Every structure is written in C-alpha cells, then in structure tokens.
Amino acid sequence: MRGFDIDHGTDVAISVDGLPVNMVSHAHGQGYADLHFVIPETIEDINFGKGPYYPDHGNFTTAGFVDLHLKKRVNQNILSLEAGQFNTLRLMGMFSLLDSENSNSYLATEIYLTDGPFDSPQNFNRINLMGQYNYSLPGNQELSLRASYFQSKWDASGQIPQRAVDDGSISRFGAIDDTEGGQTGRGNFLINYIKNLDANKTFLSNAYLSMYDFELYSNFTFYLEDPVNGDQIRQKERRIITGAEGIFENKNRVLGNEVQFSYRAGGGFRYDKIDDLELSHTVNRQTLLERMAYGDVDEANLYGFLNTEFKKGKWLLNPALRLDYFNFAYYDRLSETYDHLGVDKATFSPKLNTIFTANEAWQLFLKTGIGFHSNDSRVVVAQNGEDILPPAYGADLGTIWRPFGGLVFNAAAWYLYMEQEFVYVGDAGIVEPAGRSRRLGLDFGVRYQLLDWLYLYGDVNYAYARSMDEPSGSDYIPLAPDLTSTGGIVMEDLKRFSGALNYRYMDDRPANEDNSMVAEGYFVLDFNLNYSLRHWSFGLIIENLLDTELE
C-alpha cells in the first residue's frame, strides 16, 4: 500500500471493532500485526482509508488504516468442512445461542491443520473460539460483549539460499534448518456500548483487554556466525494490552448562513505491559546459548481528537486535530546494575480535507494531513528520546465519477513524506536508521455492477519511493513496490451458482538500496466456485490457478 511493503504492519493501522491489532515494541518488529485470531466468516464488513487523514486513527496510520467489523448476530447455524492438498483440513462452525427481542448471541469456532507444500512438514495447527453477546437496553442503548481465544503452533523451513536450489542440494520447498517455527496465542475481551441520545447525537465507547504470547525460532544466516551450533535465534514475549475509548457524535446542526455542521470528539488510552521480551541464540529450539537482548517494556498512549465537518451547498470542509501522548519505559534485565529508563513525548496531528460534489455523479477531493508511527521503546531509550514519533506528511488530490448506473471510477494523485524512521530489527537486535523518505504515486480503480449477478472490479497503483538522505542510484527503498494491481470477476446467485476469479499482480522491485538485487514480480490468479442446494453448499477453491512460481 502506498509504496510500503508493510511486511509486519508497521505503516498501516489495523483494528477489529475497536480492538487494536498492531503490536508496539514487539519481539519480531515494531507494528507487528497478526489477524489469525479473526475467523473470516464472522466478518461483516471492512472499512479502510489511505493516507494519514483520519483523526480517529493514530499510531501507524501513515500508509492508511484497515478496520474490520464482525457480525453482531448470525441468522442461521453454519457448519463448514474444507479439505485440500498437503494434508490441509479446516472445520468451522457458527451457532446462534440466543435470539430474542432484546438480546442475541452466537458462538464461532475454527480448527485449521496443514503441512504446507514443504519437504519438511509444517505441522501447522490453529484453533479459534469466539463468543458474541448483544443486549438492547431501554432508552436506545446497546451493549455488546465479545470474548475470543486463539492458539497456533507450526514448524517452518524458513528462508533458503537460491544457490542451494540451483545446484540441486534442496528443492524450492526444501530446508537448511527445519527446526524453525514457533507458537503464539491471544485471548481478547471487548466491550462496546452505544447510546443514541437523539436522532443526531450518539455516544460510543469501548474497552478491551488482551493477553498475548509469542515465541518464534528463526535462522537467517545458518552457520555464518556460529559454525558449530548454527545461527538459530529465539524471539519471545508475554504481553497484556488494556485500553478504552469514548466518542461523542453530534450531526446535522445548522449554523448561520445555512451551513450544516457536524463534529465527532473522542479520547482514550492504550497500555502495553510486555514482560520477558527476549532475543536469544539457541540450538534446536531447546538449548539457550546466549541472551542478546532481554527486558521488560511498559508503553502507554493517551490520545484525544476532534473531527469537524462544515457543509454548504456543494462544498464540504473537514478540519480535524489529534493529540497523542506517549510514555516509553524499558527495564534491561541484562544490565549488571538496575537499568530502568523512561521517556515521554507528545505530538499534534492536524488534518484538513475538502470535498466538492459537482453533482450526483462526480466528486472531487483534496486531502492533507500529518500522521506518525511510534518507534520501539528499546529504540527510544537507545536514542535518548530523539526521533520518538517521526511525522508523516501526506496529500491526496482525487476524484470519484459515476457516469451511469453501477459503474464507478476513482483516481488519486498522492504524496507522502516521512521525516525520519528508526526501526528496531528484532531479527538482529539492532537499531536501523532508515532516514527521510519520499513517496508519490497514482491510484486508479473501477467498480462495475454489470448485471444483478455479475460484478467486476480492478485497481492499479503506482508508487515512486526513494530515500532522501542517500545519493542517486543508492536511494532505493528495499522491497518497496512500485506497480501493483488487483482485480477480478465476481458471480453471485446465478441459478444457485456463485464464484469468483481474482488476480493480484506485483511488478519487479528493488531488493537492496542500489537495485543490484531485484525481487521478482508475480501474477497470481485464484478461482472459486460454489453450488447451493437447500441447506447445503459445495465449493471448489483453486489458489494460484496458473501455478506461478513465487520466490
């Protein structure tokens, strides 16, 4: 997205009904995002936005945000069984437990097993359990409670050297060290409360608690550092996340001179308590040779925002402001003396968006704003509090055009400047300064409801990404995509048939700073077809229909 690889989620903020997904100061990298605790069938809809233009989204919202909203109720019980290649098996169920006038609840569960295509079986297993309860209170109030638990374990073959494949030592799916892998789990409890004060005023609030554990074994350099024992590392942590948010909405007020005014004001906090944050040199997942980093992190984020809209005639003006305060603390357990350091910092993030609606079929917009992503707490104390919250400055100029019926085009030219970036590289336990960066590009999309049962869509995105502190020719940003595209054809309810043919494309991209190494691009086509008969549905899914070899 927007010229970012976003390999761990660093520059896109992800949430599920207000529950944050991105992990700050994570053992494996700042902003680490894992959505495996979400059962796909429970998703009701997805909201997203590109750029740093949204005051209710703070940390990591530089390239954009993605908000998942889960179903509040299920209308019928569902039991699904899937089986496929590589000893893959998935069992999923959603069951309505209660459905009355004022309350409803359901339970969803998932078990997923696979060995993957690798010569050394992946032995992957995942279990999900989620319960949702909703209650309508007198006075236009609604209370929702959700609890979920997720656990996963796997073995891995990891990265392998191309030369070993070329000389026939191993296959493309072989391994040098097949003792890689790990385990992770997350338990969540979420409360959402909505109070409709009148037709235009609403109060929304939520609170959450997450308990999370993570353990990952990797080996990127095999026997380079330790020719005897190998270079396996362990990254591990235990974490508790707590947070809450309250928002007041007031819509459709009329000011002087026929100006419609609305606003949305809110605030909240997030607190991460991370214990036994570890990077260690290990052998065969069992023997601990050396702890390279080991400590505890306490990180708190308090924030408030105000989002306003002024509308008159064809114009809508949307000024907004966000204030964030962070406190970072790190206790280094490897220090011979008590070493507990703390730093705090506040940042303002103003936004100004303007929309001109020429008519029902054509709209123009100009978006501007400042966003940020925080640095890892270990980076903050290592840098003595410098460059804690490097800002990102963005601007979009675009249009949405609906020439007729179900055909919609959207296009935007955009710019994003990152002032500074210090990233904690969990694989190596080091601080890596990335310097200033500049990205600019074009987004183009089309949506067409051709027939009641046939829907077409496509997106093409171009991004030019360069480091600003390096000489020309050595200023490429590794793995930053420049040309990407997604699209497909979707068929729904055609004589009991439904299905889709979807593609995703990525052009070649630089793999290092001088572009002397290139990460090869790819075109992947996926296909699915379903047939429904009374209470039964039968489906066929073929991923990578053209058998594209991905490096």
Side-chain angles (χ1 to χ4, degrees):
M1 179 186 285
R2 292 277 158 112
F4 288 92
D5 181 57
I6 314 184
D7 113 300
H8 287 90
T10 304
D11 288 279
V12 57
I14 305 173
S15 67
V16 180
D17 284 327
L19 175 71
V21 177
N22 304 76
M23 296 289 182
V24 297
S25 303
H26 190 271
H28 193 51
Q30 172 73 338
Y32 185 85
D34 182 357
L35 275 167
H36 281 127
F37 69 90
V38 177
I39 301 172
E41 287 85 352
T42 64
I43 298 175
E44 179 72 25
D45 60 61
I46 301 175
N47 186 28
F48 71 94
K50 297 180 180 181
Y53 313 123
Y54 313 95
D56 50 347
H57 293 82
N59 203 3
F60 304 114
T61 312
T62 51
F65 75 89
V66 177
D67 289 344
L68 278 68
H69 302 128
L70 305 190
K71 298 178 186 293
K72 289 189 175 181
R73 69 170 65 209
V74 295
N75 297 321
Q76 57 186 0
N77 297 333
I78 299 174
L79 186 64
S80 172
L81 175 65
E82 301 175 54
Q85 288 179 288
F86 317 121
N87 298 321
T88 300
L89 185 69
R90 181 175 182 263
L91 180 66
M92 188 282 303
M94 287 198 302
F95 310 100
S96 176
L97 304 179
L98 173 67
D99 194 355
S100 65
E101 181 179 354
N102 295 322
S103 63
N104 67 85
S105 67
Y106 73 92
L107 179 71
T109 186
E110 172 196 46
I111 298 175
Y112 181 66
L113 309 169
T114 186
D115 284 338
F118 306 99
D119 296 343
S120 181
Q122 195 172 6
N123 297 315
F124 178 87
N125 65 80
R126 180 177 74 215
I127 182 169
N128 262 315
L129 185 65
M130 190 268 279
Q132 171 88 19
Y133 174 75
N134 307 294
Y135 183 65
S136 298
L137 300 166
N140 293 319
Q141 303 176 81
E142 182 178 313
L143 180 68
S144 298
L145 307 176
R146 181 184 304 142
S148 65
Y149 176 76
F150 150 79
Q151 182 70 48
S152 181
K153 295 181 180 180
W154 67 97
D155 298 322
S157 298
Q159 302 177 28
I160 56 176
Q162 182 67 48
R163 64 182 181 276
V165 178
D166 294 340
D167 66 19
S169 301
I170 58 174
S171 74
R172 288 181 62 238
F173 299 100
I176 299 295
D177 180 0
D178 63 358
T179 66
E180 297 181 86
Q183 60 183 354
T184 185
R186 181 169 181 171
N188 304 304
F189 182 70
L190 176 67
I191 302 175
N192 277 293
Y193 169 75
I194 300 175
K195 167 68 173 177
N196 294 308
L197 302 172
D198 58 34
N200 297 318
K201 298 176 182 178
T202 305
F203 176 73
L204 309 93
S205 63
N206 69 68
Y208 54 84
L209 170 67
S210 282
M211 291 163 287
Y212 171 84
D213 63 84
F214 175 87
E215 184 176 24
L216 177 66
Y217 293 87
S218 307
N219 190 344
F220 302 107
T221 51
F222 309 115
Y223 289 91
L224 178 65
E225 304 295 337
D226 188 337
V228 176
N229 299 299
D231 298 347
Q232 185 180 87
I233 59 172
R234 176 174 68 192
Q235 297 160 306
K236 188 177 181 180
E237 69 170 68
R238 293 183 298 111
R239 177 188 303 250
I240 295 177
I241 311 170
T242 58
E245 182 180 68
I247 299 174
F248 177 72
E249 294 181 347
N250 193 349
K251 302 178 181 179
N252 301 320
R253 294 176 60 88
V254 179
L255 303 180
N257 203 18
E258 299 181 349
V259 175
Q260 288 185 325
F261 172 63
S262 301
Y263 69 88
R264 197 168 189 255
F269 77 92
R270 169 180 172 171
Y271 172 67
D272 287 67
K273 177 179 173 56
I274 312 159
D275 292 330
D276 302 329
L277 190 54
E278 175 187 348
L279 173 66
S280 297
H281 182 195
T282 59
V283 177
N284 200 31
R285 290 207 203 181
Q286 294 180 341
T287 305
L288 173 64
L289 297 180
E290 178 191 7
R291 281 195 171 110
M292 296 176 281
Y294 186 48
D296 301 333
V297 166
D298 291 277
E299 185 170 327
N301 174 206
L302 284 76
Y303 61 87
F305 65 87
L306 176 63
N307 189 26
T308 64
E309 290 186 358
F310 300 86
K311 184 177 181 181
K312 182 178 181 182
K314 299 180 178 181
W315 290 91
L316 186 147
L317 190 65
N318 173 212
L321 179 66
R322 181 183 177 94
L323 170 63
D324 283 87
Y325 167 82
F326 283 84
N327 182 267
F328 306 86
Y330 180 58
Y331 169 48
D332 187 355
R333 290 176 174 264
L334 296 182
S335 176
E336 295 182 357
T337 60
Y338 181 73
D339 188 359
H340 192 183
L341 300 176
V343 177
D344 56 6
K345 180 74 172 180
T347 184
F348 286 94
S349 303
K351 333 277 183 178
L352 178 60
N353 306 316
T354 305
I355 300 174
F356 175 71
T357 304
N359 50 52
E360 293 183 354
W362 185 32
Q363 187 178 85
L364 296 169
F365 61 83
L366 173 63
K367 298 180 179 180
T368 59
I370 300 175
F372 70 94
H373 70 83
S374 66
N375 285 321
D376 188 291
S377 289
R378 292 157 290 184
V379 177
V380 171
V381 298
Q383 299 293 331
N384 295 318
E386 296 181 4
D387 301 302
I388 296 176
L389 304 172
Y393 303 85
D396 270 51
L397 177 62
T399 184
I400 301 173
W401 179 44
R402 186 192 300 269
F404 59 84
L407 180 63
V408 179
F409 295 95
N410 65 273
W414 57 269
Y415 176 85
L416 187 65
Y417 164 70
M418 302 282 288
E419 187 172 282
Q420 181 56 277
E421 191 171 345
F422 281 95
V423 178
Y424 179 82
V425 183
D427 302 334
I430 61 173
V431 177
E432 183 178 89
R436 297 178 301 157
S437 65
R438 177 181 60 192
R439 289 169 169 85
L440 62 155
L442 298 169
D443 291 346
F444 178 77
V446 59
R447 307 285 185 269
Y448 189 22
Q449 190 71 49
L450 181 60
L451 301 169
D452 290 340
W453 54 271
L454 189 61
Y455 175 71
L456 294 81
Y457 74 96
D459 291 283
V460 179
N461 309 102
Y462 171 75
Y464 177 87
R466 292 293 186 271
S467 172
M468 299 180 66
D469 294 327
E470 301 296 333
S472 178
S474 298
D475 55 351
Y476 292 88
I477 299 176
L479 299 182
D482 55 6
L483 183 62
T484 60
S485 180
T486 58
I489 303 172
V490 181
M491 176 180 67
E492 294 184 355
D493 299 326
L494 178 62
K495 298 180 179 180
R496 297 179 179 173
F497 283 95
S498 63
L501 188 66
N502 302 304
Y503 78 87
R504 63 184 186 275
Y505 167 79
M506 181 176 291
D507 196 10
D508 294 348
R509 50 185 175 154
N512 61 354
E513 287 79 359
D514 62 5
N515 202 26
S516 59
M517 293 193 300
V518 175
E520 294 185 6
Y522 57 81
F523 179 88
V524 174
L525 195 64
D526 296 329
F527 169 79
N528 70 79
L529 182 65
N530 305 284
Y531 177 73
S532 298
L533 179 63
R534 295 178 183 158
H535 298 295
W536 293 87
S537 178
F538 304 90
L540 173 68
I541 301 170
I542 303 176
E543 297 179 328
N544 195 7
L545 184 65
L546 303 179
D547 198 23
T548 300
E549 290 191 359
L550 302 177
E551 297 297 335

